[in-house]
Amino acid sequence: MIHHLTRLPVLVISAHSRCNCRCAMCDIWRTTDSGSFTAADLQRQLRDIGALGVEWVVFTGGEALMNPELFEMASALRAAGIRVTLLTSGLLLGRYAREIATHINDVIVSLDGPPAIHDRIRGIIDAFDRLAAGVRAIRAIAPFLPIAARCTVQKANHGALLDTARAARALDLSSISFLAVDVSSDAFNHQLPMASSHGHALLLTAEEIEALEREISRLLADPVRSIVAETPAKLARLVQYFRAQAGGFYPQSPVCNAPWVSAVVDQDGDVRPCFFHPSIGNIKGRSLTQVLNSEPALTFRRTLDVPTNPICRRCVCSLHRPAQSETTREVA
């Protein structure tokens, strides 16, 4: 594996530290700190972003739409020929529909079930209706702007995957992806050990795991299966993940090379190899390239063995892109 990076296809930017939902599976909304990744922060890194060949920037949070400079940053990135994706709870889609249609290439919304389940998980009474109204507002301006959904599978919705996919289709979303709830890392402002506190309220019992397996079979047999992003094998991994959690052992690591092809920049400038591993440096006063190829970053990539690493073995997602071996080199 080549560890000195000269290309970084994917860059994730946490645009804002706070969120306007109160989700059961996320603790970001509990923070009292309010911080944003600014347009000035981005401007200082634009040369490096270009030099690293970044192809795709994903704005996330917290809630990215709470950042007042989001669209200024998106415009600068698109002017550089970079695809810009917005990850959002969907509550503010209607308010910013025109700006999204103008400055964003595609949107991924959180959809955690049909209306009642979605609202209960999100902790917002009218969350589904606001999401639906926002999608309609964008469609009225930009009918072909891709809008997809992502669902976090947990106790509250494990028996409603089919209805969730049907809700996505009814909202005219292009696809839906299903990921297991994370209870093992400090991502999403989790306070560890989460599994010994409210993490148990998110995981599945043996009976619920069997119900999830049946629900996946129902989903795969339904015509709505055509908008589900995961293959049957990846959906089966959901069951394997919850079985491992229930049994107190590690699930199998996903196939992933995220630390070699992507990075996550937090609103305070911390740079992570992915959402779940610790920071490898900070871009305040340094360039992105310097951080990515600092000694802590190089040591991390040299010593990371994805199949055996405890964090990777409990990971709920994965990123795997072709290696850029012709444009990277080893540093001894």
Side-chain angles (χ1 to χ4, degrees), residues 21 23 25 63 86-91 93 107-123 126-133 135 147-154 156-158 160-180 219 224 227-228 230:
C21 280
C23 299
M25 64 285 189
E63 173 51 63
L86 169 66
L87 265 62
T88 174
S89 69
L91 296 180
L93 288 180
V107 179
I108 302 174
V109 300
S110 297
L111 180 64
D112 290 308
I117 293 176
H118 179 80
D119 289 359
R120 185 164 67 252
I121 290 175
R122 292 271 131 189
D126 59 350
F128 187 93
D129 288 343
R130 289 169 66 178
L131 167 61
V135 171
I147 306 177
R150 178 173 295 169
C151 175
T152 301
V153 180
Q154 56 174 288
N157 63 8
H158 72 280
L161 271 59
L162 176 56
D163 286 343
T164 305
R166 287 173 174 169
R169 170 162 283 175
L171 289 171
D172 194 26
L173 304 184
S174 58
S175 66
I176 183 168
S177 178
F178 293 96
L179 298 176
L219 176 63
V224 78
I227 70 165
V228 176
E230 283 78 23

Side-chain angles (χ1 to χ4, degrees), residues 308-330:
T308 61
N309 182 271
I311 292 176
C312 295
R313 291 182 70 183
R314 290 194 184 276
C315 187
V316 298
C317 64
S318 68
L319 172 66
H320 191 268
R321 292 174 66 98
Q324 300 288 338
S325 56
E326 69 279 3
T327 55
T328 57
R329 61 185 176 86
E330 177 70 65

Side-chain angles (χ1 to χ4, degrees), residues 17-29:
S17 62
R18 302 194 69 181
C19 187
N20 52 2
C21 280
R22 300 172 63 87
C23 299
M25 64 285 189
C26 176
D27 294 310
I28 291 175
W29 59 271

Side-chain angles (χ1 to χ4, degrees), residues 22 26 55 128 136 179 213 229 234 267 323:
R22 300 172 63 87
C26 176
E55 303 166 13
F128 187 93
R136 290 194 297 270
L179 298 176
E213 193 165 30
K234 286 192 174 182
Q267 66 279 346

